[in-house]
Amino acid sequence: MFDGSPSRREFLKAAVAAGGAAALSACLDRAPDDPVPAGTDAFETLPSRQHAWNEFCRADDHGNVEMPRHQVLLYLDLAGEGPPAEADREAVENAFRVLDRAYERSHEGVIWSVAYSPRYFDRFDDPLPAGVDLPEPRALSPFETPEFDRQDALVHLASDRADAVLEAEQALRGEVDEANGVAVDADLSGVFSVDSRRTGFVGAGLPAEHQSDLNGVPDGNPVPEESPLFMGFKAGFAKNQATEEYVTIDEGPFAGATTKHVANVRQRLSDWYDEEDRYHRVMKLFSPAHAEQDLVEGVGDNLGDDSGIDAMLDSLRDDAFEFGHVGHAQKAARANRDDEGNVKLLRRHFESADDGVASLHFPSLQRGISEFEAVREAMNGTDLTDVPTVRQRVNNGILEYIFVKRRGNFLVPPREIRSLPTPTGEAPGLGD
């Protein structure tokens, strides 16, 4: 089973961040005695929706899904111009089936997906169907200047086992002969090149272990040991998340797909902890009422499966005038509910120490990218800056403490057409 000692956790995080054969070898040397659960040859038993992760993850005592502790993002480019060849499609599918055979789809094995960018689909003469909302990435606030991820594809790997997630990555790169005892007889190296590799972690204890050696985190180790995230509180409460069913495209050639926005956000935690007391951190992250009523104990475990933010939406402007602040969750939730009260976005964010900087990788799933953009617009709170104390970033949720460095938009197709699909929703020549 997982050895949760701080020294072991810190070693595994560092190994995943470093990557490569040496890191994998070190992880394997220190791997738990329990074997990594094997995958399956019965591909038809795997879920059609690549984004169906929840049932394969751990959950806390309140039913909140907890993402796997170790995560790797591989941003991939195809060689040349124009659409991929049929041989490329076959090679990619064979590489993916190595992972299917090698690893159980679970937090103890490897959960993963592949997604494709607007630029990838522009290689074809046919456009994407009108019902697929996948624009090019753009700046989503008047004060951000992000770089844009337009690579052809994004592979997202996640596991509680650092040795498993590293070995799966090495298998895709063609740098190991076996993956969990399965022969690696196909890989992506002849079709894709890796443009960018990014890593991260999430879970109680992991952010706290990194705080002493990262830029942007103040002295004094302010990140609570029990917090799964750098800012000191839980997130991803079940009732404040969209369901996987809700974010699934339900008709057309990409029925069973979803869209994925991934942002990389640098966090200025020195100011978050040094300039703000706990009362104001709760106010700015949740809402003024959460702070005034002392609703958040510790990192927020007492909130159960619901942050309670929906009860604070109608008072947003009144809170701004009375308390001089508005809450991050309070603002964003305004646009993150449909007419029936359903949450629109499924957020699966995790922390990162890439390049020695405290940052956040923020994958969000939704039926269409415009839904994410609308929530981000609400989060900007520009409509609240007529309140004398609320400025575009100051006293406006957590905007003063986060800086978007990169954004990218992707389509996560159903598993049956995961390998270099066409815009018409086909992967010619492939099948179970």
Side-chain angles (χ1 to χ4, degrees), residues 16 37 43 45 82 94 100 103 126 160 173 212 229 250 270 301 308 323 346 358 368 376:
V16 172
F43 304 118
T45 65
N94 288 337
D100 292 338
Y103 305 103
D126 293 321
D160 279 347
R173 289 173 174 259
S212 62
L229 297 167
D250 57 9
S270 53
D301 284 320
F323 298 102
L346 176 54
R376 175 64 207 213

Short mmCIF file of all heavy atoms in Angstrom, two decimals, residues 16 37 43 45 82 94 100 103 126 160 173 212 229 250 270 301 308 323 346 358 368 376:
data_model
loop_
_atom_site.label_atom_id
_atom_site.label_comp_id
_atom_site.label_asym_id
_atom_site.label_seq_id
_atom_site.Cartn_x
_atom_site.Cartn_y
_atom_site.Cartn_z
N VAL A 16 8.82 12.30 -10.01
CA VAL A 16 7.85 12.57 -11.08
C VAL A 16 8.20 13.88 -11.77
O VAL A 16 8.13 13.99 -13.00
CB VAL A 16 6.42 12.59 -10.52
CG1 VAL A 16 5.43 13.04 -11.60
CG2 VAL A 16 6.03 11.20 -10.02
N PRO A 37 -1.78 -2.78 -10.19
CA PRO A 37 -2.82 -3.60 -10.81
C PRO A 37 -2.72 -3.59 -12.33
O PRO A 37 -2.47 -2.54 -12.94
CB PRO A 37 -4.12 -2.95 -10.33
CG PRO A 37 -3.76 -2.18 -9.12
CD PRO A 37 -2.35 -1.73 -9.32
N PHE A 43 -10.73 -4.57 -24.41
CA PHE A 43 -10.83 -3.12 -24.56
C PHE A 43 -12.28 -2.64 -24.54
O PHE A 43 -12.56 -1.51 -24.13
CB PHE A 43 -10.15 -2.69 -25.86
CG PHE A 43 -8.73 -3.13 -25.97
CD1 PHE A 43 -8.33 -3.99 -26.97
CD2 PHE A 43 -7.78 -2.69 -25.07
CE1 PHE A 43 -7.02 -4.42 -27.07
CE2 PHE A 43 -6.47 -3.11 -25.15
CZ PHE A 43 -6.07 -3.98 -26.16
N THR A 45 -14.48 -3.38 -22.57
CA THR A 45 -14.96 -3.18 -21.20
C THR A 45 -14.54 -1.84 -20.62
O THR A 45 -15.03 -1.45 -19.56
CB THR A 45 -14.45 -4.31 -20.28
OG1 THR A 45 -13.01 -4.21 -20.18
CG2 THR A 45 -14.82 -5.68 -20.83
N GLY A 82 -0.65 19.10 -42.62
CA GLY A 82 -1.73 18.28 -43.14
C GLY A 82 -2.14 17.18 -42.19
O GLY A 82 -1.59 17.02 -41.10
N ASN A 94 -2.06 1.58 -31.20
CA ASN A 94 -1.31 0.46 -30.62
C ASN A 94 -0.54 0.88 -29.38
O ASN A 94 -0.43 0.12 -28.41
CB ASN A 94 -0.37 -0.14 -31.66
CG ASN A 94 -1.11 -0.92 -32.73
OD1 ASN A 94 -2.22 -1.39 -32.52
ND2 ASN A 94 -0.49 -1.07 -33.90
N ASP A 100 -3.47 0.36 -21.92
CA ASP A 100 -4.70 -0.35 -21.52
C ASP A 100 -4.38 -1.73 -20.95
O ASP A 100 -4.99 -2.17 -19.97
CB ASP A 100 -5.63 -0.51 -22.72
CG ASP A 100 -6.22 0.80 -23.21
OD1 ASP A 100 -6.26 1.77 -22.44
OD2 ASP A 100 -6.64 0.84 -24.39
N TYR A 103 -1.97 -1.30 -17.32
CA TYR A 103 -2.39 -0.67 -16.07
C TYR A 103 -3.90 -0.69 -15.90
O TYR A 103 -4.64 -0.26 -16.80
CB TYR A 103 -1.90 0.79 -16.02
CG TYR A 103 -0.42 0.93 -16.20
CD1 TYR A 103 0.09 1.36 -17.43
CD2 TYR A 103 0.46 0.62 -15.18
CE1 TYR A 103 1.45 1.48 -17.62
CE2 TYR A 103 1.83 0.74 -15.37
CZ TYR A 103 2.32 1.17 -16.58
OH TYR A 103 3.67 1.27 -16.77
N ASP A 126 -12.10 19.23 -43.71
CA ASP A 126 -13.41 19.34 -43.09
C ASP A 126 -13.31 20.09 -41.76
O ASP A 126 -12.38 19.88 -40.98
CB ASP A 126 -14.00 17.95 -42.81
CG ASP A 126 -14.33 17.20 -44.09
OD1 ASP A 126 -14.82 17.84 -45.04
OD2 ASP A 126 -14.09 15.98 -44.14
N ASP A 160 -1.82 7.35 -8.13
CA ASP A 160 -1.26 7.46 -6.78
C ASP A 160 0.14 6.85 -6.72
O ASP A 160 0.87 7.10 -5.76
CB ASP A 160 -2.16 6.73 -5.78
CG ASP A 160 -3.36 7.56 -5.35
OD1 ASP A 160 -3.38 8.77 -5.64
OD2 ASP A 160 -4.28 6.99 -4.75
N ARG A 173 6.79 7.08 -24.67
CA ARG A 173 7.95 7.65 -25.34
C ARG A 173 8.82 6.59 -26.01
O ARG A 173 9.76 6.92 -26.73
CB ARG A 173 8.81 8.41 -24.33
CG ARG A 173 8.21 9.71 -23.81
CD ARG A 173 9.08 10.27 -22.70
NE ARG A 173 8.69 11.57 -22.21
CZ ARG A 173 9.26 12.73 -22.55
NH1 ARG A 173 10.26 12.74 -23.42
NH2 ARG A 173 8.85 13.87 -22.05
N SER A 212 9.02 24.91 1.60
CA SER A 212 10.28 25.48 2.07
C SER A 212 11.29 25.73 0.96
O SER A 212 12.29 26.41 1.19
CB SER A 212 10.91 24.57 3.14
OG SER A 212 11.20 23.30 2.59
N LEU A 229 -3.89 21.66 -1.19
CA LEU A 229 -3.54 22.71 -2.14
C LEU A 229 -2.73 23.80 -1.44
O LEU A 229 -2.83 24.00 -0.23
CB LEU A 229 -4.80 23.32 -2.76
CG LEU A 229 -5.66 22.35 -3.59
CD1 LEU A 229 -7.03 22.96 -3.88
CD2 LEU A 229 -4.96 21.99 -4.89
N ASP A 250 -23.52 15.29 -25.97
CA ASP A 250 -24.49 14.19 -26.03
C ASP A 250 -25.04 13.89 -27.41
O ASP A 250 -25.88 12.99 -27.56
CB ASP A 250 -25.65 14.44 -25.06
CG ASP A 250 -26.37 15.76 -25.32
OD1 ASP A 250 -26.08 16.40 -26.35
OD2 ASP A 250 -27.20 16.15 -24.48
N SER A 270 3.44 34.33 -1.05
CA SER A 270 4.06 35.18 -0.04
C SER A 270 3.09 36.27 0.41
O SER A 270 2.93 36.53 1.61
CB SER A 270 5.36 35.80 -0.57
OG SER A 270 5.13 36.46 -1.80
N ASP A 301 -12.59 20.73 5.82
CA ASP A 301 -13.19 19.39 5.88
C ASP A 301 -14.60 19.41 6.44
O ASP A 301 -15.44 18.59 6.08
CB ASP A 301 -12.32 18.45 6.72
CG ASP A 301 -11.08 17.99 5.98
OD1 ASP A 301 -11.18 17.69 4.78
OD2 ASP A 301 -10.01 17.91 6.61
N GLY A 308 -21.19 25.45 0.30
CA GLY A 308 -22.22 26.38 0.73
C GLY A 308 -22.25 27.68 -0.05
O GLY A 308 -22.96 28.63 0.33
N PHE A 323 -18.55 44.80 3.15
CA PHE A 323 -17.27 44.29 3.64
C PHE A 323 -16.07 44.78 2.83
O PHE A 323 -14.93 44.56 3.23
CB PHE A 323 -17.28 42.76 3.63
CG PHE A 323 -18.33 42.17 4.53
CD1 PHE A 323 -19.51 41.68 4.02
CD2 PHE A 323 -18.14 42.13 5.91
CE1 PHE A 323 -20.48 41.14 4.84
CE2 PHE A 323 -19.09 41.59 6.74
CZ PHE A 323 -20.27 41.09 6.22
N LEU A 346 -16.44 20.86 -14.50
CA LEU A 346 -15.83 19.82 -13.69
C LEU A 346 -14.33 20.13 -13.61
O LEU A 346 -13.61 19.99 -14.60
CB LEU A 346 -16.08 18.45 -14.29
CG LEU A 346 -15.43 17.23 -13.61
CD1 LEU A 346 -15.79 17.17 -12.14
CD2 LEU A 346 -15.82 15.95 -14.33
N ALA A 358 5.91 27.87 -7.20
CA ALA A 358 4.59 27.38 -6.78
C ALA A 358 3.56 27.78 -7.82
O ALA A 358 3.35 28.97 -8.08
CB ALA A 358 4.23 27.95 -5.42
N GLY A 368 -18.69 22.81 -23.68
CA GLY A 368 -18.10 23.73 -24.64
C GLY A 368 -17.20 24.73 -23.95
O GLY A 368 -17.45 25.13 -22.80
N ARG A 376 -14.98 32.27 -16.24
CA ARG A 376 -13.80 33.10 -16.00
C ARG A 376 -14.18 34.58 -16.04
O ARG A 376 -13.68 35.38 -15.23
CB ARG A 376 -12.73 32.80 -17.05
CG ARG A 376 -11.52 33.72 -16.95
CD ARG A 376 -10.75 33.57 -15.65
NE ARG A 376 -10.05 34.81 -15.30
CZ ARG A 376 -8.89 34.84 -14.66
NH1 ARG A 376 -8.29 33.72 -14.32
NH2 ARG A 376 -8.34 35.99 -14.36
#
